[in-house]
């Protein structure tokens, strides 16, 4: 039974979370995860690509039922924090010689920022209740369906771009959760407004049941949310990664291709990556919920996330010259290392190919002799994008010494493309 003491404790916990820097906090009853069925269907369609850890039976079971992680759990505290520090200056955004980086990665690794705050929040609660065992924290590293839970805890709604959107703070949000045995006062999830009440929330994620207009949501404080007839994110996605509204095929998403994927980037998608070298912001940047109505506190986010000016859009020609150790030092404590030095350099090769400027030929030619076949093959592809005699010469030299079959194929395709370009001019 919800006693006045538990209500007061809940309010104090929420205030403590805000004091720790979180912008949003909601609480849901621990139990079966909302949207677990839709998640299972998403996995069944193979949209998770090479992220096999998502489909492991133990991880699927833990996602479906949070008490698998903490059997006596009663409450899931869901927290959101805005990382909206401001748009990239136009001069940098329009410069193809620079590598674009998703804005969540402009500062230090958010796991390092958020986890200590979650532990502090749990410690505060333990101090109040006398609990002697820790709660379970998660910052997208544990098997928790954060977005579904955030919707359940009343702190946002799912957009067609699959991001959690808050009616006043938009979607530049990082989510975190704290699972605890205390029964706290639960928040009301957003409800469907009456005109579209026939559409059950779960149907939002079901490809076969899409309706032309997405349902509108009403929050406990009277705020409204929903995508309505908007389709900007779907139309503007550079790789057309949405299989349907609310359904992302991660295998086509630039975030997956540049961060999660460890092998070769599919050849047909490389031109669509443009100069994104770590993640992509497009489907959030075009969203009206992140537009002028959005009330994020950029000064607060900037103070917390401290974007590093050198990391907003670094010159590609600087990055391509760095070796493993130099990259690790350059991006120490940055999320960029999640892609690994090898993955980052692979992405830089693709971005240089898409830039297509001959000034990049010497650096790419040196990568053609890299000990790592993945880099040699992507450097070959990039050289093939350049209609330049020096690029053709480098490829021809590479062909003479290359022994890796995949890289030989890339060189041969690149030579073919490059020489067709030469004949056309
Ligand atoms: Fe498309 Fe970029 Fe959004 Fe991925 S992050 S779905 S590539 S717009
Ligand atoms: Fe929804 Fe439009 Fe935002 Fe996409 S861009 S999430 S459709 S409001």
């Amino acid at each position: 039974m919800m006693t006045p003491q538990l209500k007061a404790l809940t309010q104090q916990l929420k205030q403590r979370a805000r004091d720790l820097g979180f912008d949003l906090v909601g609480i849901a009853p621990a139990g079966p995860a909302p949207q677990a069925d839709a998640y299972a269907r998403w996995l069944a369609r193979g949209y998770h690509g090479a992220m096999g850890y998502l489909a492991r039976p133990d991880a699927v079971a833990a996602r479906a039922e949070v008490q698998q992680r903490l059997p006596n759990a009663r409450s899931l505290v869901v927290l959101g924090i805005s990382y909206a520090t401001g748009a990239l200056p136009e001069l940098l955004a329009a410069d193809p010689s620079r590598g674009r980086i998703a804005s969540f990665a402009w500062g230090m690794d958010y796991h390092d920022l958020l986890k200590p705050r979650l532990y502090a929040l749990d410690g505060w609660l333990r101090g109040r209740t006398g609990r002697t065992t820790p709660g379970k924290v998660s910052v997208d590293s544990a098997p928790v369906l954060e977005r579904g839970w955030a919707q359940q805890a009343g702190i946002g709604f799912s957009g067609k771009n699959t991001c959690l959107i808050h009616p006043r703070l938009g979607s530049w949000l990082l989510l975190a959760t704290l699972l605890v045995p205390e029964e706290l006062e639960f928040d009301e999830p957003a409800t469907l407004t009456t005109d579209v009440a026939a559409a059950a929330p779960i149907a939002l994620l079901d490809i076969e049941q899409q309706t032309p207009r997405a349902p509108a949501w009403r929050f406990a404080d009277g705020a409204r949310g929903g995508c309505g007839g908007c389709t900007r994110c779907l139309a503007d996605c550079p790789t057309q990664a949405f299989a349907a509204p609310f359904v992302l095929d991660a295998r086509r998403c630039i975030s997956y291709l540049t961060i999660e994927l460890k092998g070769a980037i599919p050849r047909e998608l490389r031109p669509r990556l443009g100069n994104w070298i770590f993640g992509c912001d497009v489907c959030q940047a075009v969203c009206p919920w992140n537009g002028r109505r959005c009330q994020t506190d950029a000064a607060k986010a900037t103070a917390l996330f401290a974007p590093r000016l050198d990391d907003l859009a670094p010159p590609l020609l600087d990055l391509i010259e760095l070796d493993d150790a130099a990259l690790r030092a350059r991006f120490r404590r940055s999320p960029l290392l999640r892609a690994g030095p090898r993955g980052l350099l692979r992405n830089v090769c693709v971005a240089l190919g898409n830039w297509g400027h001959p000034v990049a030929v010497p650096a790419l030619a040196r990568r053609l002799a890299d000990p790592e076949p993945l880099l040699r093959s992507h450097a070959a592809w990039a050289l093939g994008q350049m209609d330049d005699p020096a690029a053709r010469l480098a490829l021809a030299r590479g062909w003479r010494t290359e022994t890796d079959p995949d890289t030989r194929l890339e060189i041969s395709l690149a030579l073919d493309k490059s020489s067709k370009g030469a004949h056309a001019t």
Side-chain angles (χ1 to χ4, degrees), residues 203-217:
L204 293 180
L205 288 157
D206 192 316
I207 293 171
E208 286 83 19
Q209 295 184 40
Q210 292 308 309
T211 51
R213 280 189 70 81
W217 299 92

Side-chain angles (χ1 to χ4, degrees), residues 159-161 165 227 230-233 287-289:
K160 290 177 187 174
N161 61 4
I165 302 175
C227 289
C230 175
T231 54
R232 279 191 212 176
C233 54
C287 179
W289 288 102

